[in-house]
């Protein structure tokens, strides 16, 4: 941070008695740490989703090219959902970069709360819709899998998807809760400094 000294100055000048008893500069550090964690979360999501998207695409292109229209629709739903989520994470990362931490506290608090509201919407109905469409896409592959694989293994695969989805939902939800807590803390701290 090449402008850390100017940030210190702005925050000391803008400080009004913080209800938490924390110095403005300490709040600033905490806000920036949480902001940094949030941005890393976005890029971590992009990396994971990109690997999964590439893996699925390569699998269905080279290993198991599906022939039926319903199966291809399933692949489009799966890969399309991942691509939409990657784009959302990249947009979130860009929006996070646009928060001006060296602006006055009112401006920064407004920008941080706006970003928090954006991420809250993303983790709500948008994520649920993407997951549901991805799951629908997965199950649209079942009829064609039945044509090539023994029924037992297709059933194991379908049940395994439910188990894997449940575990991933818990893991993802934990990460989302951490991000939401950090973003909420940023917003509350910025509001306290107004």
């Amino acid at each position: 941070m090449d402008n850390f000294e100017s940030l210190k100055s702005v925050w000391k000048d803008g400080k009004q008695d913080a209800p938490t008893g924390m110095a403005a500069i300490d709040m600033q550090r905490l806000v920036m740490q949480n902001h940094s964690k949030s941005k890393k979360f976005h890029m971590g999501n992009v990396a994971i989703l990109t690997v999964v998207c590439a893996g699925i695409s390569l699998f269905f292109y080279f290993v198991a090219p599906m022939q039926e229209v319903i199966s291809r629709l399933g692949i489009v739903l799966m890969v399309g959902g991942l691509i939409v989520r990657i784009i959302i994470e990249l947009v979130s990362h860009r929006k996070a970069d646009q928060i001006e931490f060296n602006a006055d506290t009112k401006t920064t608090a407004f920008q941080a709360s706006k970003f928090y509201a954006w991420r809250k919407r993303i983790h709500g109905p948008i994520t649920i819709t993407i997951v549901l469409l991805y799951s629908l896409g997965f199950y649209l592959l079942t009829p064609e899998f039945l044509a090539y694989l023994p029924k037992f293994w297709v059933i194991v695969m379908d049940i395994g998807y439910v188990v894997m989805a449940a575990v991933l939902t818990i893991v993802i939800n934990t990460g989302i809760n951490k991000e939401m807590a950090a973003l909420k803390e940023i917003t509350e701290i910025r509001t306290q400094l107004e």
Side-chain angles (χ1 to χ4, degrees), residues 10-11 100-110 190:
V10 168
W11 279 89
E100 300 172 69
F101 283 101
N102 57 353
D104 63 276
T105 55
K106 187 175 182 179
T107 301
T108 307
F110 174 73
R190 301 308 285 222

Side-chain angles (χ1 to χ4, degrees), residues 162-181:
V162 172
V163 172
M164 184 180 74
V167 170
L168 282 175
T169 299
I170 292 167
V171 170
I172 291 168
N173 198 37
T174 302
I176 288 171
N177 288 339
K178 284 181 184 176
E179 183 192 16
M180 288 290 94

